[in-house]
Amino acid sequence: MKLQHRHFVIGITGGIAAYKTCELIRRLQDEGATIQVVMTESSTRFVSQLTFQALSGRPVYCSAWETPAQSGPANVARIANGQANDLLTTLCLAREVPLFIAPAMNRQMWQNAATQRNIAQLRHDSIRLLGPDTGSQACGEIGDGRMLEPQSLLAELIAQFGPHSEHPLAANTPNIRGVLQGKQLLITAGPTFEPIDPVRGITNRSSGKMGFAIAQAAADAGAAVTLISGPVHLTTPTGIHRVNVTTAQEMYDAVKAALLDLRRDCFIAVAAVADWRPSTVGDTKIKKDSGASLTEINWIENPDILASVAQQPNPPYCVGFAAESGSLNELEKLLPEKRARKSVPLLVGNIGETTFGEDTNQIMLCDENGTELLPTDSKSNLARILIFRIAQRLRHD
């Protein structure tokens, strides 16, 4: 019952993704939350008021009047521009609580310049966007714009309002607007993939979610961000220049090129980079019956991207991530030595098996003053906290 005594107003707009809200409501109730549903008239064409009334156990409202308002969907454009022409958009404006929006649209709508302007305005107004995801869409397209799945939305809400968080979002998340204005940041994210033959390779379980959250937070803070990403299935955050790579060597080369192209104020190495790669890659699949063995592969060490940047003359402010296994006590012992070996001012540690692929994380900061363990939180919230801390350090660096 991680959301006991929490009350959520869920607004539902016109779109096929409305059906996902049924499961979200049930999952929220399983965690002890109470739900009030508000719908636009167009949303009732996809899921009925009666369905949500049965699920929530409360009357469902479409209008401030006795009959439903003949209004369209309360979309991001209306909220971004302060247009309150139905009950739901009125509630979005007349509120004293955090507002979250889970976008749902096809890829052309999401990529449209007007949509991206409205999304940027929402973020500027400190409205939190959950998603969108990438995948198949009702129109038959595949791409960005798919609404997050209910379990992902639930994880975000538990991270913001669950028992581990002593304060609501407005209190425990620092205001990062403008704290990196004029700064240039370079960030790596995701795993790398090292091919063995045309169909096999070695990689790790990193999803890229933490790195992408940090990139988004940095952009929200006013920075110009270049994001170098390994192979992940994530939407590029708004206003960010993304460079896609596959192998550790490609990531190393892309980082070097980005540093040569433009002076960077800060480099944040979040990517989980493979330490080793095969010395040669087979032209054909290694067959079981060929007599060859994967244990006979010769391995060579990949370049240490973080250390190489930190050792440059006049390097940017370097922040590293260390994904370890074991306990937090072991992590606390490992980080100071690893920070010294990498020659970086700030190292962020976490336990890989508990965070890879998840929407939440627990991180430990290690600098010249020692270590600090932050409470478990959503990756997006932790990203904002980390960006705020980095901005403070850059001001005094």
Side-chain angles (χ1 to χ4, degrees):
M1 304 289 280
K2 297 175 183 177
L3 294 173
Q4 197 164 14
H5 308 305
R6 295 292 190 182
H7 182 67
F8 295 92
V9 176
I10 296 183
I12 303 168
T13 65
I16 190 61
Y19 79 92
K20 292 184 180 181
T21 319
C22 298
E23 183 181 352
L24 176 62
I25 290 172
R26 177 60 68 200
R27 286 173 176 263
L28 287 168
Q29 289 174 324
D30 288 344
E31 296 295 345
T34 56
I35 309 296
Q36 175 63 62
V37 175
V38 177
M39 304 177 70
T40 64
E41 188 275 335
S42 58
S43 70
T44 64
R45 299 170 184 259
F46 293 90
V47 184
S48 72
Q49 288 178 259
L50 184 60
T51 297
F52 286 117
Q53 182 170 318
L55 287 170
S56 66
R58 291 169 173 262
V60 174
Y61 297 99
C62 283
S63 170
W65 314 105
E66 292 183 358
T67 57
Q70 297 300 310
S71 60
N75 55 34
V76 294
R78 291 184 181 179
I79 298 172
N81 291 282
Q83 298 175 2
N85 57 346
D86 59 18
L87 177 60
L88 183 51
T89 47
T90 300
L91 290 175
C92 289
L93 295 182
R95 62 183 172 83
E96 295 181 347
V97 294
L99 173 61
F100 295 79
I101 294 178
M105 60 191 78
N106 71 19
R107 66 178 182 86
Q108 290 96 342
M109 292 173 64
W110 176 253
Q111 293 168 358
N112 188 278
T115 300
Q116 290 304 306
R117 286 196 300 271
N118 289 324
I119 293 297
Q121 183 62 52
L122 292 174
R123 290 193 170 112
H124 179 76
D125 295 339
S126 299
I127 294 172
R128 288 285 309 282
L129 270 78
L130 305 180
D133 205 348
T134 297
S136 58
Q137 299 165 349
C139 60
E141 297 282 351
I142 297 176
D144 300 342
R146 180 184 173 92
M147 180 176 165
L148 286 183
E149 295 302 316
Q151 60 268 28
S152 297
L153 294 172
L154 178 69
E156 283 281 358
L157 294 175
I158 289 175
Q160 303 296 348
F161 303 104
H164 65 272
S165 181
E166 296 179 359
H167 307 287
L169 174 69
N172 73 355
T173 304
N175 181 4
I176 61 173
R177 185 183 303 172
V179 299
L180 289 178
Q181 194 68 43
K183 300 294 185 182
Q184 306 278 347
L185 267 68
L186 177 62
I187 301 171
T188 64
T192 61
F193 179 86
E194 310 300 327
I196 294 173
D197 61 28
V199 297
R200 295 190 184 94
I202 60 170
T203 187
N204 56 64
R205 293 169 51 208
S206 173
S207 64
K209 290 180 180 180
M210 191 73 228
F212 275 61
I214 291 171
Q216 183 62 75
D220 291 345
V225 180
T226 294
L227 175 64
I228 299 175
S229 175
V232 298
H233 300 286
L234 296 174
T235 301
T236 305
T238 305
I240 287 171
H241 174 58
R242 177 173 171 178
V243 179
N244 291 321
V245 299
T246 300
T247 68
Q249 185 64 49
E250 290 172 354
M251 184 170 285
Y252 174 75
D253 293 339
V255 167
K256 284 203 308 182
L259 290 173
L260 286 174
D261 177 60
L262 188 64
R263 164 66 185 167
R264 307 288 170 170
D265 298 286
C266 181
F267 173 54
I268 309 177
V270 192
V273 182
D275 293 323
W276 302 86
R277 70 178 186 270
S279 59
T280 59
V281 178
D283 294 329
T284 58
K285 178 182 176 182
I286 301 173
K287 303 287 188 180
K288 283 184 178 180
D289 56 1
S290 67
S293 170
L294 294 180
T295 60
E296 298 172 0
I297 294 173
N298 292 318
W299 299 92
I300 56 175
E301 191 171 356
N302 277 321
D304 189 323
I305 299 173
L306 176 61
S308 67
V309 174
Q311 292 164 10
Q312 290 183 351
N314 193 27
Y317 186 88
C318 290
V319 180
F321 266 69
E324 303 289 348
S325 60
S327 67
L328 290 172
N329 287 336
E330 292 171 317
L331 182 65
E332 188 173 16
K333 295 175 183 176
L334 284 170
L335 288 183
E337 182 277 330
K338 192 166 190 176
R339 186 185 79 88
R341 176 161 43 87
K342 300 279 188 180
S343 299
V344 296
L346 179 61
L347 189 64
V348 182
N350 55 26
I351 304 300
E353 62 262 34
T354 65
T355 185
F356 282 159
E358 300 296 327
D359 295 311
T360 58
N361 197 359
Q362 185 170 32
I363 61 176
M364 184 178 292
L365 308 183
C366 178
D367 61 13
E368 70 277 6
N369 298 316
T371 60
E372 176 189 1
L373 181 64
L374 300 184
T376 301
D377 208 333
S378 71
K379 290 181 176 179
S380 56
N381 239 24
L382 289 173
R384 296 172 71 86
I385 293 170
L386 182 61
I387 286 297
F388 185 78
R389 300 287 189 91
I390 291 172
Q392 289 179 314
R393 288 166 163 83
L394 288 177
R395 283 199 299 267
H396 298 98
D397 191 26

